[in-house]
Amino acid sequence: MTERHLNYIAGEWQPAFGGATFEDRNPADERDLIGLFPDSAATDVAAAVASVASAWPAWAAQSPEVRADVLFKAADLMSLRADTIAAELTREEGKTLNEARNEARRIAANFRLYAGEALRLNGETYPSEVAQLVLSLRQPVGVVAVITPWNFPLSMAARKLGPALAAGNGVVFKPSEITPLMGQRLVEVLLDAGLPPKLVALVQGKGAKVGQAITAQAGVDALTFTGSYAVGKQIAASLSTDTRVQLEMGGKNATVILADASIDKAVATIERGAFGLTGQACTGTSRVLVARPLYAELVARLEKSAAAIKVGPGTSEGVQMGPLATRAQYDKVRAYVGIARDEGGRVVGGDALPETDPALAHGYFVRPAVVSDLPENSRLWREEIFGPVVAIRPIDSLDEAIRLADDTEYGLAVSLVTGDLPSVLRFARETQHGIVKVNSPTTGVSLNAPFGGLKHSSNQAAKEQGGANVMDFYSRIKTIYLGA
Ligand code: NAD
């Protein structure tokens, strides 16, 4: 019996207007139908925005303790449900159970962090010659639309919903159509924690239909989006100028290995950054720049270690890399492996797993790929692949490392492996990336540190995550002059 899931609008679980649905399937075995979800459209969005608009002023008027309390309770519930939700995450997105548990368990910490921010929604006071006292007050923005990708369906959403609600806003949430169940689970946790029913609306559906409807809907005061640059650009172009917008987008992240680095450490750092989460992380390593004396050895070692990675269903014991999340991802990764070969690169791995293995025959499995000896203008160097494919190139100096690491339209994360402090300091100051990691992979960030990129990786609105800066996006500042 196929499970039929619902939208949550105006405090009611309900189908999409007109009843259309779409399928959610398991990427490790596409025969496994997880359920049917509402294929929503503009009518659903209009109802969602109207109900959230009616609910947020009362929420904003609550004491900050009440808002914090709901988020603290949501954190507790998330901790209790984390293992169950993690198993569903593996079934829906494909990542290994370990990776899924890490993501699910982190949500509790995320909610706790933002519960604290509700209590720290501070303003400032200013000495003044025109009034007895001048002060600034942070007030909610109103209706915040949240549009998220599938690769971290829980954490990308929690780091938007948490601060939005903490600041007193209401939320219209559209999860990715690839991971609708995770969106639903997050909303259930918040409602069970005591969130007022109309304050949040869950509108499931396709980006081109319901996502676009959100950008065209009057009454959305702010929109926060994480996803691809192509879609982010489209969203920014179609929004009214009155809508505040935050866009976190793609990356073409590099790890730089300087001549003093240990090969073991370099291999471990690259492997984790490039192949963790099946290479489907916005901060994933897709380029490696290595000091020329280490090039041949590093390529050989990476080829060997990538070939030893156990690929399979995320639920299976010992599996280190799950499937790609969708058939489109699978086709894209295989196409880029073909492009690398056509460009004359040396490619080891990247092939589909043998379809003769019954455990793998119906999933989107590929082997991780290591690509070397590419020409300078290779597409693999420039375009975001979003899969387990890493390209390696030799460098002759730190200058060249900085120039090539920055030679991309993106600027999300970059990492450097070396013990040479002057090189670290220069690299960190000069590189055009929002996140610089030293002696660690490009992936893996602290949830309480500012997150965001430069250039096409971000629209440079207020940063996500971190401390008080988070609230810059989710609140408006009003300046008040007090006279006697
Ligand atoms: P995507 O851009 O295809 O979709 C993201 C979301 O936007 C989905 O919910 C989708 O339904 C919606 N959408 C699609 N078209 C829309 C439209 N016209 N109007 C409004 N909404 C629309 O991205 P994806 O494939 O889900 O995720 C992968 C991308 O996300 C990669 O580029 C990756 O780098 C990026 N990403 C970035 C970060 C970050 O924090 N910078 C984090 C994770 C993923």
Side-chain angles (χ1 to χ4, degrees):
M1 184 62 181
T2 306
E3 203 170 341
R4 287 179 167 265
H5 296 264
L6 299 168
N7 281 334
Y8 184 77
I9 297 174
E12 305 277 348
W13 290 98
Q14 52 183 273
F17 185 79
T21 57
F22 67 92
E23 291 184 345
D24 181 20
R25 288 186 178 271
N26 179 349
D29 183 346
E30 59 186 358
R31 296 168 304 177
D32 176 22
L33 178 61
I34 295 169
L36 295 175
F37 285 81
D39 186 8
S40 315
T43 322
D44 306 289
V45 171
V49 171
S51 107
V52 172
S54 73
W56 76 261
W59 174 247
Q62 292 277 12
S63 78
E65 283 86 350
V66 170
R67 296 201 299 270
D69 202 35
V70 170
L71 288 170
F72 279 127
K73 281 196 188 116
D76 292 345
L77 284 177
M78 196 63 215
S79 293
L80 285 173
R81 298 178 191 177
D83 287 353
T84 313
I85 292 179
E88 292 178 323
L89 171 54
T90 294
R91 184 177 173 211
E92 187 173 55
E93 198 269 353
K95 59 184 69 177
T96 65
L97 267 179
N98 259 348
E99 291 168 339
R101 283 193 198 110
N102 284 343
E103 181 174 351
R105 287 176 187 164
R106 217 172 137 99
I107 304 310
N110 229 300
F111 282 151
R112 283 193 189 101
L113 175 70
Y114 295 117
E117 289 306 325
L119 303 168
R120 278 190 294 269
L121 205 58
N122 302 330
E124 289 183 336
T125 58
Y126 306 86
S128 169
E129 54 183 27
V130 297
Q132 259 75 12
L133 182 63
V134 177
L135 52 96
S136 63
L137 199 64
R138 278 188 187 271
Q139 294 186 309
V141 179
V143 177
V144 177
V146 169
I147 301 183
T148 48
W150 46 263
N151 66 326
F152 284 107
L154 295 170
S155 40
M156 294 299 129
R159 76 187 192 191
K160 296 177 188 294
L161 281 150
L165 296 170
N169 301 286
V171 171
V172 174
F173 174 31
K174 192 211 97 57
S176 166
E177 58 270 43
I178 315 297
T179 49
L181 184 60
M182 290 301 98
Q184 181 180 320
R185 293 294 181 244
L186 215 52
V187 169
E188 287 166 353
V189 162
L190 286 163
L191 292 173
D192 292 348
L195 200 72
K198 292 185 180 174
L199 190 70
V200 69
L202 173 70
V203 191
Q204 302 279 15
K206 314 260 174 69
K209 194 164 145 193
V210 73
Q212 217 157 17
I214 291 174
T215 66
Q217 176 66 44
V220 173
D221 299 297
L223 186 151
T224 172
F225 163 86
T226 297
S228 61
Y229 174 69
V231 170
K233 196 171 145 192
Q234 218 177 319
I235 288 177
S238 52
L239 279 177
S240 122
T241 47
D242 296 338
T243 308
R244 181 180 282 201
V245 61
Q246 179 180 54
L247 307 170
E248 291 300 337
M249 300 171 284
K252 188 68 191 167
N253 316 296
T255 288
V256 175
I257 313 291
L258 295 188
D260 69 303
S262 106
I263 288 277
D264 285 347
K265 184 158 190 154
V267 170
T269 306
I270 297 162
E271 202 174 79
R272 186 143 163 242
F275 305 137
L277 298 147
T278 320
Q280 301 174 122
C282 54
T283 51
T285 309
S286 62
R287 300 179 297 148
V288 172
L289 298 159
V290 52
R292 195 175 296 275
L294 305 183
Y295 178 71
E297 191 185 351
L298 184 72
V299 170
R301 286 279 307 276
L302 264 179
E303 288 174 351
K304 198 167 160 216
S305 69
I309 289 176
K310 188 168 179 208
V311 182
T315 44
S316 297
E317 198 62 39
V319 158
Q320 295 161 297
M321 201 177 99
L324 290 155
T326 60
R327 177 162 287 281
Q329 278 288 106
Y330 175 81
D331 291 342
K332 185 176 172 197
V333 167
R334 296 193 63 198
Y336 271 104
V337 168
I339 291 168
R341 290 204 171 98
D342 293 346
E343 287 179 334
R346 172 187 158 84
V347 182
V348 172
D351 31 9
L353 282 165
E355 292 178 3
T356 45
D357 181 342
L360 307 178
H362 300 281
Y364 312 132
F365 298 100
V366 292
R367 288 196 193 287
V370 178
V371 184
S372 53
D373 301 343
L374 280 167
E376 284 237 341
N377 55 357
S378 160
R379 282 180 61 191
L380 261 80
W381 275 104
R382 316 207 75 82
E383 297 168 18
E384 186 185 43
I385 303 171
F386 218 58
V389 180
V390 69
I392 312 176
R393 190 161 164 175
I395 43 160
D396 290 305
S397 66
L398 183 65
D399 282 336
E400 193 182 15
I402 296 172
R403 183 175 60 76
L404 291 179
D406 289 351
D407 184 21
T408 157
E409 290 175 337
Y410 294 104
L412 187 52
V414 69
S415 86
L416 180 65
V417 181
T418 181
D420 183 49
L421 191 57
S423 297
V424 167
L425 292 176
R426 210 188 122 205
F427 188 87
R429 281 200 197 103
E430 291 183 16
T431 186
Q432 291 297 304
H433 285 80
I435 299 166
V436 182
K437 296 190 67 188
V438 180
N439 294 319
S440 62
T442 50
T443 51
V445 294
S446 296
L447 59 86
N448 57 348
F451 180 98
L454 305 178
K455 302 195 276 186
H456 283 185
S457 295
S458 168
N459 74 334
Q460 313 304 318
K463 290 256 184 199
E464 289 210 286
Q465 301 199 138
N469 63 278
V470 176
M471 292 308 185
D472 289 344
F473 183 74
Y474 295 101
S475 63
R476 298 187 204 279
I477 290 181
K478 189 176 277 174
T479 313
I480 299 173
Y481 288 73
L482 290 180

